[in-house]
């Protein structure tokens, strides 16, 4: 091997995405590597495999919002890619194999009870997922084909200088050279925006406490005072983590009641959390059942043909006006397919007749509504996407207590519905949402989506709707929320939450459209991840690259042809190459992640869903394996667009 060229790849970020690319390099090497030597440098201060988010060293209270049967790092024959399928166990299959002794992997004693009891429909701790990701990496590394080597660097990359070759400097003072660099970026840590900075300055003037947006597991909340009111802006998964850390994490205890439900026994160290958001309610609980009807055929209405038809029209595409009706019809198709074929006793029309009429009608028309009403007697069985999106939209209550009662009833109904097999049609809509997310990159690649619509509607509203409906917490978390509300430790601030800095009282003030009361507190927490913002990124490496002009913010053209920033890292969608400030694609620098132009989803996925993550990893691995250290291609110019 020493007589053959050596290609070196530096992967900055060795969590599940970086290791997923390594697995695809390994799988594709027999076809593409030949007699060459390929050295992969994995650079991450956190453990290789789990990375920062899934590291073992975090609170055991923090759980996944996925069931172990729905988590895999392995490809299967549903994935449409050029490279070979290399199957392997899902999280639950791996757990069972370790328990049976057919696989050997050390399980820490403090995780043994959970590991031994884990069922396919449980929601494991993030620490258990950490073990699976570590095992996956060790297995991939142990099975690397001849010619591929891995070198780990337990440090952060702080600078990259251009070559050839690329020179990567690490925080520990060392330096390495690489023929190509891959940034596997997750959510971008960012400095506070203008509004957050103003709130922070207000807090400093009045000796208050303000916690800007950040990854909950990395924020020190020890200074949040016990017994005092705390305003929390955000009602998603970050709030769920925060809620647990500030209650059970401070010594409180949940008790399972004989008739169902929970009672919370306070420790006395808890604050009182007043939480609100745009919708004023928590994310929907994850479902606890499987589909009962005929297999879903997805995509049906939002597929490549529909995207081609959209692009055949003149002018830019508007997401809400042009794309959402197709997405909504896709969701309804999957929902009603499951309802008709899984629960035929709840409909009064033959599915074939309904399906033919449904296919011919545009979404949102009176004819479509009349068809649904005529076929489905019970209103609770009809899909109402507007009501789902804004459950308390336009409703007003006399007081915070009255609104709190309504939220409790809403959460109880959601828990009952998500636990009742009779409502498995909800899971059909969930599966359709996953299909839609897999199709959106094809739409982005056309470059036809208008800038305002892409940033505000697709990246903003639709991403929020997806998370609200499909990426909620385990049901027990909402039961815990209700128990904390009963204990007087959580109250609900309402919809369309507005938080202001009241200079007259020297406090934060929260109001909403749901009731007239104003709630004040000396502590404000932003329970959310930072929005994508290349200009505000504070990662040392990304900041250095921004300052050098070698990494820049994605822009998209608006209706007038002017470029508008999206906040994301600009990459060429066709191959994930980084674009510089001149719009030029770097021949040897790549980036993948949720906050790049390609908008990669999570780094692991559900089995048998033709997951886009696997397709992206495979395409990039094949691209890398076909590069040569002796062939330094010129940069390719291209507009910074998606």
């Amino acid at each position: 091997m020493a007589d053959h060229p050596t290609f070196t790849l530096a992967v900055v970020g060795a969590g599940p995405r970086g290791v997923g690319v390594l697995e695809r390099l390994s799988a594709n090497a027999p076809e593409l590597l030949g007699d060459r030597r390929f050295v992969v440098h994995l650079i991450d201060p956190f453990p290789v495999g789990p990375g920062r988010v899934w590291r073992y060293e975090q609170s055991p209270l923090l759980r996944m919002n996925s069931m172990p049967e729905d988590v895999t790092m392995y490809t299967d024959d549903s994935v449409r890619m050029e490279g070979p399928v290399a199957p392997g166990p899902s999280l639950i299959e791996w757990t069972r194999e370790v328990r049976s002794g057919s696989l050997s992997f050390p399980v820490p004693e403090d995780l043994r009870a959970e590991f031994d009891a884990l069922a396919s429909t449980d929601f494991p701790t993030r620490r258990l997922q950490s073990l699976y990701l570590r095992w996956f990496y060790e297995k991939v590394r142990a099975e690397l084909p001849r010619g591929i080597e891995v070198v780990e660097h337990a440090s952060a990359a702080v600078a990259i200088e251009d070559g050839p070759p690329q020179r990567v400097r690490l925080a520990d003072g060392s330096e390495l050279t690489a023929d190509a660099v891959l940034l596997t970026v997750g959510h971008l840590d960012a400095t506070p925006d203008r509004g957050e900075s103003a709130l922070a300055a207000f807090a400093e003037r009045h000796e208050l406490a303000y916690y800007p947006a950040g990854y909950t597991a990395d924020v020190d909340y020890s200074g949040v005072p016990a017994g005092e009111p705390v305003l929390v802006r955000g009602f998603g998964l970050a709030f769920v983590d925060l809620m647990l850390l500030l209650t059970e994490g401070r010594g409180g205890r949940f008790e399972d009641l004989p008739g169902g439900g929970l009672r919370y026994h306070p420790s006395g160290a808890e604050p009182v959390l007043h939480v609100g958001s745009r919708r004023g309610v928590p994310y929907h609980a994850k479902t606890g059942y499987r589909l009962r009807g005929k297999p879903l055929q997805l995509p049906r209405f939002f597929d490549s043909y529909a995207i081609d038809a959209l692009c055949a029209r003149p002018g830019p595409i508007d997401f809400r006006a042009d794309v959402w009706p197709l997405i909504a019809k896709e969701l309804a198709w999957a929902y009603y397919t499951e309802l008709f074929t899984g629960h035929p006793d709840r409909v009064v029309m033959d599915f074939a007749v309904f399906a033919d009429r449904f296919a011919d009608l545009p979404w949102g028309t009176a004819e479509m509504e009349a068809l649904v009403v005529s076929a489905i007697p019970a209103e609770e069985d009809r899909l109402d996407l507007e009501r789902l999106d804004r459950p308390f939209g336009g409703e007003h209550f006399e007081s915070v207590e009255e609104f709190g009662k309504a939220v409790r009833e809403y959460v109880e109904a959601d828990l009952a519905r998500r636990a009742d097999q009779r409502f498995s049609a909800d899971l059909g809509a969930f599966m359709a949402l996953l299909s839609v997310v897999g199709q959106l990159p094809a739409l982005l690649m056309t470059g036809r989506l208008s800038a305002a619509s892409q940033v505000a509607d697709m990246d903003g509203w639709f991403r929020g709707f997806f998370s609200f409906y499909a990426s909620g917490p385990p049901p027990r978390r909402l039961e815990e929320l209700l128990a904390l509300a009963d204990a007087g430790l959580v109250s609900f601030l309402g919809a369309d939450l507005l938080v202001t800095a009241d200079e007259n009282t020297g406090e934060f003030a929260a109001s909403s459209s749901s009731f007239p009361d104003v709630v004040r507190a000396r502590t404000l927490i932003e329970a959310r991840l930072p929005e994508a913002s290349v200009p505000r990124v504070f990662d040392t490496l990304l900041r250095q690259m921004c300052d050098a002009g070698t990494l820049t913010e994605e822009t998209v053209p608006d209706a007038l042809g002017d470029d508008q920033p999206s906040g994301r890292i600009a990459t060429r969608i066709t191959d994930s190459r980084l674009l510089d400030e001149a719009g030029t694609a770097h021949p040897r620098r790549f980036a993948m992640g949720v906050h790049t132009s390609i908008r990669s989803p999570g780094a692991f996925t559900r089995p048998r869903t033709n997951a886009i993550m696997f397709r992206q990893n495979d395409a990039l691995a094949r691209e890398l394996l076909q590069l040569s250290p002796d062939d330094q291609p010129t940069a390719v110019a291209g507009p910074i667009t998606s």
Side-chain angles (χ1 to χ4, degrees):
M1 297 296 294
D3 297 329
H4 298 286
T6 297
F7 187 90
T8 56
L9 169 68
V11 180
V12 180
R17 171 62 69 146
V19 176
V21 173
L22 177 66
E23 186 277 332
R24 289 288 84 200
L25 289 168
S26 177
N28 283 283
E31 175 191 350
L32 299 176
L33 186 60
D35 292 328
R36 292 178 299 145
R37 183 168 171 258
F38 199 103
V39 178
V40 181
H41 294 270
L42 297 177
I43 303 168
D44 201 319
F46 295 97
V48 178
R52 170 188 172 188
V53 172
W54 301 101
R55 64 189 187 271
Y56 190 84
E57 297 302 324
Q58 59 182 297
S59 171
L61 296 175
L62 303 181
R63 290 185 176 270
M64 304 180 69
N65 68 330
S66 296
M67 295 182 288
E69 66 180 13
D70 292 335
V71 174
T72 189
M73 287 294 291
Y74 283 99
T75 56
D76 54 51
D77 58 15
S78 73
V79 184
R80 295 191 293 271
M81 58 184 179
E82 288 190 60
V85 170
S90 66
L91 174 55
I92 189 61
E93 291 168 342
W94 171 77
T95 304
R96 289 168 177 163
E97 290 180 28
V98 173
R99 287 195 301 229
S100 70
S102 58
L103 280 178
S104 177
F105 191 82
V107 178
E109 282 305 312
D110 59 354
L111 201 66
R112 174 59 67 181
E114 179 194 0
F115 192 90
D116 289 345
L118 187 70
S120 61
T121 55
D122 288 339
F123 291 89
T125 61
R126 294 180 197 168
R127 299 199 306 168
L128 197 151
Q129 169 70 350
S130 181
L131 297 188
Y132 174 63
L133 294 173
R134 181 67 191 181
W135 168 83
F136 172 75
Y137 165 64
E138 292 178 357
K139 187 172 189 295
V140 169
R141 181 162 185 171
E143 296 177 352
L144 289 174
R146 182 173 181 266
I148 295 185
E149 300 175 23
V150 168
V151 181
E152 295 182 26
H153 301 268
S155 183
V158 296
I160 300 177
E161 297 176 8
D162 216 345
Q166 311 286 302
R167 293 181 297 280
V168 183
R169 287 194 289 110
L170 307 185
D172 62 10
S174 62
E175 181 176 298
L176 61 94
T177 60
D179 297 298
V181 175
L182 167 62
L183 309 178
T184 57
V185 294
H187 288 273
L188 304 180
D189 292 327
T191 57
D193 62 20
R194 181 178 299 178
E196 291 175 329
S197 296
L199 290 170
F202 172 78
E204 185 174 357
R205 287 197 306 274
H206 294 278
E207 298 183 342
L208 309 179
Y210 175 66
Y211 295 82
Y215 180 55
T216 307
D218 289 341
V219 179
D220 180 8
Y221 293 109
S222 61
V224 176
E228 291 191 15
V230 173
L231 302 183
V232 182
R233 183 157 52 182
F235 217 161
L237 297 180
F239 168 74
V240 171
D241 289 347
L242 175 74
M243 176 186 80
L244 267 294
L245 292 175
L246 292 179
T247 55
E248 191 176 8
R250 289 192 171 188
R253 179 174 59 86
F254 290 99
E255 175 192 2
D256 290 278
L257 299 177
L262 301 172
R263 177 183 292 122
Y264 183 72
H265 299 274
S267 67
E270 302 91 346
V272 179
L273 304 177
H274 300 271
V275 56
S277 64
R278 186 176 73 88
R279 294 183 181 88
V281 294
Y283 286 5
H284 285 280
K286 282 297 183 72
T287 56
Y289 38 66
R290 296 179 175 85
L291 295 172
R292 293 180 53 175
K294 64 182 293 187
L296 299 175
Q297 301 298 316
L298 301 171
R300 174 67 172 83
F301 295 101
F302 187 59
D303 56 11
S304 59
Y305 299 103
I307 293 172
D308 290 343
L310 282 177
C311 294
R313 303 177 188 175
I317 297 171
D318 182 271
F319 187 88
R320 291 295 282 263
D322 302 322
V323 181
W324 171 246
L326 296 173
I327 292 175
K329 193 170 182 179
E330 188 82 8
L331 304 188
W333 168 255
Y335 179 94
Y336 290 128
T337 297
E338 172 64 13
L339 180 67
F340 274 78
T341 63
H343 309 277
D345 57 313
R346 306 232 296 279
V347 299
V348 293
M349 184 182 292
D350 183 76
F351 180 58
V353 175
F354 177 87
D356 285 344
R357 295 182 185 175
F358 181 91
D360 292 336
L361 294 173
W363 178 257
T365 59
E367 293 81 2
M368 173 72 80
E369 183 179 355
L371 171 65
V372 171
V373 170
S374 67
I376 304 164
E379 185 175 354
E380 67 175 359
D381 287 333
R382 302 172 196 155
L383 183 65
D384 186 342
L385 292 174
E386 289 187 12
R387 185 68 173 174
L388 276 172
D389 185 36
R390 295 302 300 270
F392 288 111
E395 292 191 49
H396 300 279
F397 301 84
E398 293 299 318
S399 65
V400 63
E401 291 80 12
E402 187 180 330
F403 178 72
K405 180 181 178 182
V407 172
R408 165 173 275 285
E409 293 172 352
Y410 170 86
V411 172
E412 288 174 340
D414 182 57
L415 285 168
R417 186 176 179 109
R418 292 300 174 109
D420 189 344
Q421 182 74 47
R422 294 175 61 250
F423 297 103
S424 64
D426 289 353
L427 182 56
F430 168 85
M431 298 303 295
L433 267 174
L434 296 183
S435 172
V436 164
V437 170
Q439 294 296 111
L440 285 175
L443 174 63
L444 286 171
M445 288 181 69
T446 68
R448 294 287 306 283
L449 196 61
S450 73
S453 188
Q454 179 172 312
V455 174
D457 296 329
M458 191 188 76
D459 291 342
W461 171 77
F462 177 72
R463 181 165 61 90
F465 175 78
F466 175 89
S467 297
F468 175 66
Y469 185 80
S471 190
R476 183 177 174 88
R477 292 308 192 216
L478 295 190
E479 294 175 1
E480 292 165 344
L481 172 70
L482 295 179
L484 290 168
D486 289 342
L489 295 173
V490 171
S491 75
F492 308 111
L493 291 172
D496 301 311
L497 179 66
L498 175 65
V499 176
T500 58
D502 191 333
E503 292 285 359
N504 293 325
T505 64
E507 295 176 303
F508 297 111
S511 59
S512 73
S513 63
S514 300
F515 50 82
D517 302 13
V518 175
V519 180
R520 302 179 187 277
R522 296 181 57 79
T523 300
L524 170 61
I525 299 175
E526 307 282 6
R528 57 183 173 83
L529 291 168
E531 294 296 323
S533 177
V534 166
R536 293 189 291 112
V537 69
F538 68 73
D539 175 85
T540 303
L541 172 64
L542 300 184
R543 184 77 266 151
Q544 176 264 331
M545 296 178 71
C546 287
D547 293 344
T550 57
L551 180 146
T552 191
E553 184 178 20
E554 174 199 50
T555 61
V556 287
D558 62 17
L560 300 177
D562 297 326
D563 287 341
Q564 300 296 327
S566 74
R568 299 170 182 274
I569 294 173
T571 56
R572 195 164 61 180
I573 286 185
T574 54
D575 56 16
S576 298
R577 280 183 165 86
L578 274 177
L579 298 172
D580 65 17
E581 59 186 1
T584 302
H586 196 289
R588 296 304 178 96
R589 291 184 184 175
F590 304 81
M592 301 186 79
V594 64
H595 283 169
T596 63
S597 296
I598 201 170
R599 292 159 171 78
S600 298
F604 47 81
T605 189
R606 295 168 67 97
R608 307 207 58 77
T609 56
N610 185 30
I612 187 172
M613 177 268 290
F614 288 139
R615 288 180 273 151
Q616 292 169 347
N617 289 355
D618 188 73
L620 179 60
R622 293 178 68 85
E623 175 82 12
L624 291 167
L625 285 167
Q626 293 176 82
L627 294 177
S628 166
D630 301 323
D631 176 23
Q632 291 291 334
T634 57
V636 182
I640 303 175
T641 178
S642 61

